[in-house]
Amino acid sequence: MRAFRLSASNATPALVVCDPPTPKADEILVRIGACGLNFADLLMVKGEYQDTPELPFTLGMEVAGTIEALGADVTDFAIGDRVAVFGGQGGLAEFGTFPADRAVKLPETMPFTDAAAFQIAYGTSHVALDHKAQLQAGETLLVLGAAGGVGLTAVEIGKLMGATVIACARGADKLEVAKAAGADHLIDAKTEDIREACRALGGVDVVYDPVGGDQFKAAFRACKPEARLLAIGFASGDVPQIPANHLLVKNLSVLGLYWGGYLAFKPQVITDSLAQLLAWYEAGKLTPHISHTLPLDEAAQGLELLRSRKSTGKVVITLDQD
């Protein structure tokens, strides 16, 4: 089979030919139809992600496809089932083995491209806004990086939960994408003062931040008393330092979220969240935004789209199985 692998530290990932894997007792073998790319893939290449696998490994954290074989202990699935899996690695290949307890069956109406773009982005935003921040209808939500993979889903879910959504992104084109996802107000991070723009709108109750850096600092200063700030990631490369005395004065809460971490200590949070998200999808309330769909031999170009911030929503690699 073909696989897009990282073979050594400081090396460039490359498409190689290798033997298909064999599932262990608790695993499924998936014939992969599509794989969603994530910013974390870029961090893995540099060895900077918190869950970077041992070398060599195949990139690709989330996949959708068809079950080809079952491990001896797997009873909840059948050969031929259409599934999505958050495997953490192994997705940019024609076949992959993954723990069965990380797989979910797909609605028949859900194409593999949508399914591969779904779990991490929507899961992160839903767990962040619902489970962590407990966003309420009528509150004001500020989404930084609002046209990116997770940011765009935060706009969509925030609106669905009844919030007034302020979307912040760089440039008119990206802001139009956020507007189409339901944003009520738009802030151009290239030209506008985030703090003053938010204050003019009455301040914010919840900040969703996958960016960090100066944008976090500006959003922090635009918070209402008892606001909640969600630290999702640091795409800017700058991890902000939080002045604890300011937290005290405004009674603010800063909440960290690593979506995949729940698999280790409270997996039911993810299970329940995905059930709700898939129900919303089937009801037509969620529409994954995929700006680029590329074949496996263009996986490197897909990662470059993320690195150069030339994509909106998700980039998906397809393997022609849907």
Side-chain angles (χ1 to χ4, degrees):
M1 70 171 191
R2 295 179 301 153
F4 189 68
R5 309 206 81 193
L6 183 66
S7 298
S9 59
N10 299 317
T12 300
L15 199 61
V16 302
V17 176
C18 55
D19 293 331
T22 301
K24 298 176 183 176
D26 61 346
E27 292 181 335
I28 54 175
L29 174 67
V30 178
R31 183 184 180 196
I32 297 170
C35 176
L37 299 185
N38 292 275
F39 189 77
D41 291 310
L42 298 175
L43 296 179
M44 283 189 187
V45 172
K46 296 189 292 184
E48 296 177 357
Y49 191 60
Q50 57 262 33
D51 280 338
T52 299
E54 292 185 10
L55 294 165
F57 67 91
T58 298
L59 289 159
M61 300 179 70
E62 57 181 335
V63 304
T66 306
I67 294 179
E68 289 279 313
L70 303 171
D73 295 339
V74 177
T75 58
D76 293 336
F77 295 95
I79 292 173
D81 281 348
R82 301 172 73 253
V83 295
V85 188
F86 169 68
Q89 62 168 306
L92 288 172
E94 292 173 321
F95 294 89
T97 53
F98 307 99
D101 61 5
R102 291 196 176 192
V104 293
K105 294 180 183 178
L106 296 177
E108 287 300 320
T109 57
M110 191 177 206
F112 288 146
T113 47
D114 278 6
F118 197 83
Q119 283 186 289
I120 293 176
Y122 280 106
T124 295
S125 293
H126 184 246
V127 171
L129 296 175
D130 183 63
H131 178 73
K132 295 286 286 187
Q134 298 181 24
L135 178 69
Q136 301 298 306
E139 290 191 312
T140 298
L141 167 67
L142 170 63
V143 180
L144 303 178
V150 291
L152 198 58
T153 62
V155 171
E156 198 174 1
I157 291 172
K159 193 63 181 175
L160 189 56
M161 292 175 69
T164 296
V165 179
I166 305 171
C168 180
R170 297 181 67 83
D173 291 347
K174 291 187 176 182
L175 287 172
E176 280 301 312
V177 173
K179 183 178 180 181
D184 298 287
H185 305 284
L186 307 173
I187 299 174
D188 190 335
K190 290 170 63 176
T191 60
E192 296 183 69
D193 185 313
I194 296 171
R195 176 195 181 191
E196 293 305 317
C198 289
R199 283 187 166 183
L201 294 168
V204 298
D205 298 292
V206 175
V207 176
Y208 182 98
D209 179 24
V211 178
D214 290 339
Q215 291 193 31
F216 177 91
K217 296 173 187 176
F220 187 95
R221 298 175 71 188
C223 284
K224 298 178 184 179
E226 291 197 321
R228 292 88 74 199
L229 297 96
L230 291 156
I232 306 299
F234 311 103
S236 67
D238 181 358
V239 180
Q241 302 302 302
I242 300 167
N245 58 322
H246 291 189
L247 295 178
L248 181 152
V249 171
K250 281 192 174 182
N251 288 290
L252 303 180
S253 300
V254 178
L255 307 167
L257 180 80
Y258 168 39
W259 179 78
Y262 276 98
L263 291 168
F265 69 93
K266 198 180 285 187
Q268 196 62 40
V269 170
I270 290 182
T271 300
D272 293 345
S273 173
L274 287 176
Q276 176 66 78
L277 290 166
L278 287 171
W280 278 341
Y281 178 90
E282 287 191 273
K285 296 180 179 180
L286 297 176
T287 305
H289 177 90
I290 301 167
S291 66
H292 295 81
T293 303
L294 303 170
L296 182 60
D297 58 8
E298 295 180 22
Q301 291 92 316
L303 289 175
E304 182 56 32
L305 287 169
L306 296 185
R307 185 182 294 107
S308 61
R309 293 178 172 80
K310 292 181 179 179
S311 61
T312 55
K314 295 286 285 191
V315 176
V316 173
I317 304 300
T318 61
L319 293 102
D320 299 323
Q321 296 190 49
D322 229 359

